[in-house]
Amino acid sequence: MLKLGAIAVGGLVVIVVGANVRLWMVSNGHRFEVAAAPTVPVVIVPGAKVGPDGWPMAYLRGRLDVAIELLRAGKAREILVSGDAAGTSGDEIASMTKYLADHGVDPALVRTDGAGLSTRATCERAKELFGIERAIIVTQHRHVPRAVALCRAAGIDADGVTAYCECRWTTLVRNNIREWLAAPKAIVALLRD
């Protein structure tokens, strides 16, 4: 019985590692830092947790700060914020749009999608509802390969730019584990498409 359990655990490890490697391969050549980012029509910012005060938490602030940098550098003309407008973590859309406005972004340059409940939904809705064909998706380092792969599978010529994160180490560990474990589900979605 112990041997069978070890085989099952080993199999799961192979699946998780293999899925992550595949996402890194699919997104190869499509991951950039801000300075090297290509010029695109729109930057997509996926939502993340909002604090009890309605202000974006560190993970989300990092994404928004990079989107602002890209806009100011002329690397994009507008920003699409996508997330959960009615989630348990707060209204991500209201939080993101207020943050952008408070940091000098003209509200006319910001489009919103309050039903981007997952990375895959964000990408699919960006293509289907907003007609986005070329974009940068901004998110943290471990999330970039999955985000790029899912956007490309949705029909968007997408590149990823790594967002900052002045986060606690527990936040980084938790989110990195989450990303590792989310990879197999993304691979299944890519195979279906």
Side-chain angles (χ1 to χ4, degrees), residues 107-186:
L109 301 178
V110 180
R111 294 199 275 174
T112 62
D113 176 12
L117 306 182
S118 67
T119 304
R120 183 178 181 191
T122 288
C123 295
E124 289 174 350
R125 292 173 61 81
K127 175 69 174 175
E128 294 166 9
L129 297 178
F130 295 92
I132 293 172
E133 295 183 2
R134 177 84 176 104
I136 288 172
I137 188 160
V138 176
T139 188
Q140 278 70 25
H141 176 73
R142 284 288 321 139
H143 186 209
V144 168
R146 183 167 67 92
V148 167
L150 289 170
C151 277
R152 295 184 78 76
I156 299 172
D157 182 10
D159 292 307
V161 172
T162 302
Y164 312 123
C165 189
E166 294 178 10
C167 304
R168 297 182 315 226
W169 71 271
T170 54
T171 300
L172 293 173
V173 169
R174 182 181 63 246
N175 285 307
N176 282 330
I177 290 170
R178 178 184 180 276
E179 281 307 316
W180 272 91
L181 297 176
K185 182 178 176 185

